[in-house]
Amino acid sequence: MERVNQSIVSEFVLLGLTDSWELQICLLLLFSVIYLATVLGNMLIMTTVITDSHLHSPMYFLLANLSFVDLWLSSVTIPKTIIDFFRDSKTISFETCMWQVVFVHFAGGGEMVLLVTMAYDRYVAICKPLHYTNIMSQQRCIWLVLISWAIGLVHSISQLAMIVDLPFCGPREIDSFFCDLPLVIELACMDTYTIGLLVNADSGFLATTCFILLLISYTYILLTVRHHSTDGVYKALSTCTAHIMVVVIFFVPCIFIYLCPLNIPSVDKFLAVFYAVFTPLLNPAIYTFRNKEMKAAMKRLRSYYVSSREKS
C-alpha cells in the first residue's frame, strides 16, 4: 500500500496489553496456545468438511467458510502480538497498520454477513424443508459466500478511505495490541469528530443490519419449531443454540467497540482481545462440540489417518 498522505509519522507504537514483563510472559504462552488451537481447530473443520462426503451440504459448506474467515481474522493480529511480546519497542509501520485495519474489517464484515447466511440456511431448512434443496443449491451457496466477501471488502475499503489521508503528525502511541480503528483515528492532527461518526456509522450500519436479520431469522425458526415433533424441536433448538452463541460472542464486543464505545482502556482492551483472539477459537469449538455429525466425521477422519499410517 503506497503512502498517499503527507503525514510526518511513519510508524506507530503499540503499547500492548501490559507493561509487566511477568504478565507478558504469561500472555505470550496463552496467545501462542490459543493461536495454535485456533489454527488446528479451524483447519480440522475445513479438512473434515472437504474430505467427508457426509458433510457435503450447504450448512457445512458455510461452516467451512466461517472457519476460513476465523483463521484469517486471528492471523491478522495474533502473530504480530506474539512477536511483540519479545520486543521492548512494539512498533508498526504506517502501511502495515493500514493493511491491518483493512484485513480486520474485511474479515469482520465478511463474517457478519456469513453468519446471516448461515441463519438463512437454518431458516430454509427448518421452515421450508421441502424446498431446501432447490433454494440452497450449490450455486446459490457459492454466490452467498461471494457476496459476504464482497460486502466485507466494500466495508473495509470504505473504512480505509476515511482514514488513509488523515494527517498523522504528532502522537503515535496506540493503546492496544493491534491497529484498532477508533484508536488510530484519535492520533490524527485534526478534529476527527465527524470522521469518527462516519466510521462508527459505517460499522454500525453493517452490524445493526446483520444483527436485525439474525434476530428475524431465529425468531421465525423458534416460532416454526413449536409446531414440530419433540425430536424435531430438540434438534432445531440444538442447532440454533450453537448459532446464537456464536452470534452473541461475535456481535457483543463489536457493539461496545464501535457502536457504544465505553472509552475505558482496560475494558476496550479486553473486548479487543475477546473479539480478535478468543472468538476465532470459540466458533469451531462451539460448532464441533455441539454437532454430532461433525464429531462422527472427525472420528472417521482420524480412523482413516491411523489406518493409512499403519499400512505405510
Side-chain angles (χ1 to χ4, degrees):
M1 182 177 297
E2 186 177 348
R3 286 287 296 273
V4 295
N5 64 338
Q6 301 298 320
S7 304
I8 297 175
V9 173
S10 61
E11 64 180 15
F12 298 106
V13 177
L14 299 172
L15 298 183
L17 297 172
T18 179
D19 294 328
S20 169
W21 177 248
E22 291 79 8
L23 284 178
Q24 288 194 55
I25 294 298
C26 294
L27 290 173
L28 167 64
L29 296 175
L30 178 62
F31 277 39
S32 298
V33 171
I34 289 176
Y35 183 62
L36 180 61
T38 300
V39 171
L40 293 178
N42 284 294
M43 288 188 67
L44 178 60
I45 288 179
M46 289 188 290
T47 302
T48 304
V49 172
I50 292 171
T51 58
D52 196 308
S53 59
H54 297 85
L55 301 182
H56 290 175
S57 65
M59 183 177 76
Y60 294 107
F61 172 74
L62 297 174
L63 177 58
N65 278 275
L66 179 65
S67 292
F68 179 72
V69 175
D70 281 330
L71 184 60
W72 189 347
L73 180 61
S74 63
S75 297
V76 172
T77 57
I78 302 180
K80 172 75 167 77
T81 304
I82 293 174
I83 294 173
D84 283 345
F85 283 130
F86 293 99
R87 303 167 59 186
D88 292 329
S89 179
K90 302 173 175 59
T91 59
I92 182 171
S93 68
F94 179 90
E95 289 79 6
T96 303
C97 183
M98 294 299 104
W99 277 117
Q100 202 170 63
V101 168
V102 169
F103 285 128
V104 167
H105 284 268
F106 186 12
E111 182 159 343
M112 288 182 186
V113 182
L114 190 57
L115 288 172
V116 174
T117 302
M118 295 176 73
Y120 175 70
D121 171 73
R122 290 301 84 202
Y123 161 74
V124 176
I126 295 171
C127 300
K128 299 182 178 181
L130 299 179
H131 303 283
Y132 179 73
T133 304
N134 292 329
I135 295 177
M136 295 302 295
S137 62
Q138 182 180 10
Q139 185 178 9
R140 179 163 296 181
C141 286
I142 293 173
W143 272 109
L144 289 172
V145 169
L146 291 177
I147 289 172
S148 70
W149 283 105
I151 292 176
L153 179 61
V154 171
H155 169 64
S156 64
I157 291 177
S158 66
Q159 298 286 66
L160 176 66
M162 286 186 281
I163 67 168
V164 70
D165 285 328
L166 291 178
F168 295 97
C169 55
R172 62 192 188 102
E173 293 183 341
I174 299 176
D175 194 8
S176 185
F177 61 98
F178 71 100
C179 285
D180 203 2
L181 188 56
L183 299 179
V184 174
I185 293 175
E186 292 178 359
L187 301 181
C189 301
M190 60 174 289
D191 183 4
T192 58
Y193 179 77
T194 302
I195 295 293
L197 287 180
L198 291 174
V199 167
N200 288 337
D202 188 342
S203 297
F205 175 77
L206 179 61
T208 303
T209 302
C210 291
F211 194 64
I212 290 174
L213 292 175
L214 287 166
L215 288 178
I216 293 173
S217 298
Y218 289 121
T219 299
Y220 268 105
I221 291 172
L222 295 176
L223 290 175
T224 301
V225 298
R226 292 189 309 169
H227 307 292
H228 289 186
S229 63
T230 304
D231 292 339
V233 170
Y234 175 79
K235 185 175 181 180
L237 289 178
S238 178
T239 303
C240 290
T241 300
H243 284 228
I244 292 172
M245 289 174 63
V246 170
V247 168
V248 171
I249 289 171
F250 184 79
F251 275 90
V252 169
C254 292
I255 289 173
F256 287 105
I257 291 174
Y258 297 104
L259 298 182
C260 304
L262 300 176
N263 295 322
I264 304 174
S266 59
V267 176
D268 291 340
K269 287 183 180 181
F270 171 78
L271 292 173
V273 169
F274 199 85
Y275 168 77
V277 179
F278 285 102
T279 298
L281 172 66
L282 292 175
N283 283 357
I286 291 171
Y287 280 113
T288 301
F289 292 149
R290 296 184 60 87
N291 192 301
K292 294 180 180 179
E293 292 181 352
M294 278 297 302
K295 288 189 287 186
M298 288 180 179
K299 289 180 180 179
R300 289 193 294 269
L301 181 64
R302 180 178 178 275
S303 300
Y304 174 77
Y305 176 73
V306 171
S307 62
S308 297
R309 290 192 63 183
E310 290 176 351
K311 291 178 181 179
S312 61

